[in-house]
Amino acid sequence: NAGVTQTPKFQVLKTGQSMTLQCAQDMNHNSMYWYRQDPGMGLRLIYYSASEGTTDKGEVPNGYNVSRLNKREFSLRLESAAPSQTSVYFCASSENRVDTEAFFGQGTRLTVV
Amino acid sequence: QKEVEQNSGPLSVPEGAIASLNCTYSDRGSQSFFWYRQYSGKSPELIMFIYSNGDKEDGRFTAQLNKASQYVSLLIRDSQPSDSATYLCAAGRGDMRFGAGTRLTVKP
């Protein structure tokens, strides 16, 4: 039982390049989330998906797009990477939207040069 | 201003002492509250959750919620060096918003 799996674990991009971060969960959870974590800022919500087929913006959605491909998978795309997007990205999932804990992937450390 | 606010610390306590971590939230629609622990370079992991006003105890940990004051706290009794980590407070209301975290150091 893998839980939440993110790929890749590390990535270096040049400014302007695009990439997609992949996330998959095997816990049959309805809700999935993408966060970024910067020093001193805690976890900031980028986008979330309350259920298959729905996505909503979080606190810092600019520069990102998401796709809830199916119930298991939730991807995050950077269309034109900027140095300000250098961060650690976490994917998480929870059984429902409000009152159950979120389980986190191992994180993706992204550097944009 | 973040919807969930925490003192960033660092908070330092001696081994065996009580560590007190505090959190306030601005959205009165928040329905559930969580405390996560994050070791350096690792993913957050859940310690406790609380939905109702009052105290909830689990081993050495006690979460306290006061919805009227929009205040959540976490007490760690008999603190151990292994408790040294960053503690993240989160509020759930459809999505889950986190505070910036409080770094706790427990000194032997």
Side-chain angles (χ1 to χ4, degrees):
Chain A
N1 193 350
V4 180
T5 302
Q6 290 180 234
T7 55
K9 292 184 179 179
F10 301 94
Q11 184 71 48
V12 178
L13 289 178
K14 293 182 178 179
T15 297
Q17 286 185 319
S18 62
M19 79 161 295
T20 299
L21 280 65
Q22 306 286 353
C23 176
Q25 52 91 8
D26 61 4
M27 296 174 282
N28 201 36
H29 285 168
N30 291 308
S31 299
M32 298 186 73
Y33 312 84
W34 275 106
Y35 293 91
R36 60 177 289 173
Q37 188 171 37
D38 304 292
M41 301 294 290
L43 289 163
R44 291 186 290 170
L45 182 65
I46 304 172
Y47 272 94
Y48 69 102
S49 172
S51 61
E52 185 178 355
T54 68
T55 61
D56 288 285
K57 295 179 180 179
E59 302 168 86
V60 289
N62 291 342
Y64 305 96
N65 286 300
V66 291
S67 295
R68 184 74 182 267
L69 305 170
N70 47 55
K71 192 171 185 178
R72 290 187 64 249
E73 299 173 287
F74 188 38
S75 63
L76 178 71
R77 182 161 179 84
L78 287 70
E79 291 291 352
S80 179
S84 61
Q85 294 178 305
T86 293
S87 189
V88 179
Y89 291 84
F90 286 101
C91 177
S93 71
S94 65
E95 188 173 340
N96 63 39
R97 293 172 56 189
V98 177
D99 60 357
T100 56
E101 72 171 290
F103 293 83
F104 285 82
Q106 74 272 38
T108 297
R109 186 172 294 275
L110 175 67
T111 302
V112 183
V113 298
Chain B
Q1 183 184 3
K2 283 179 71 72
E3 291 186 21
V4 179
E5 297 279 356
Q6 295 181 252
N7 289 328
S8 61
L11 174 65
S12 181
V13 300
E15 184 174 356
I18 295 175
S20 178
L21 305 163
N22 304 313
C23 171
T24 59
Y25 61 95
S26 59
D27 186 350
R28 288 192 174 274
S30 299
Q31 301 177 39
S32 52
F33 304 89
F34 305 84
W35 283 100
Y36 286 81
R37 177 176 62 200
Q38 186 177 26
Y39 293 112
S40 181
K42 302 296 185 181
S43 305
E45 54 182 356
L46 183 73
I47 298 176
M48 291 193 70
F49 61 88
I50 186 166
Y51 308 141
S52 303
N53 276 330
D55 296 358
K56 180 180 180 182
E57 186 173 319
D58 184 1
R60 296 187 295 113
F61 299 95
T62 299
Q64 299 173 316
L65 173 61
N66 183 325
K67 290 186 177 181
S69 300
Q70 296 176 251
Y71 176 86
V72 191
S73 67
L74 179 70
L75 298 177
I76 306 174
R77 290 181 299 280
D78 188 25
S79 295
Q80 301 297 310
S82 60
D83 294 326
S84 298
T86 295
Y87 289 79
L88 300 164
C89 174
R93 55 160 179 73
D95 56 19
M96 190 175 293
R97 304 292 175 104
F98 284 79
T102 299
R103 189 152 50 103
L104 171 67
T105 301
V106 180
K107 296 186 175 180

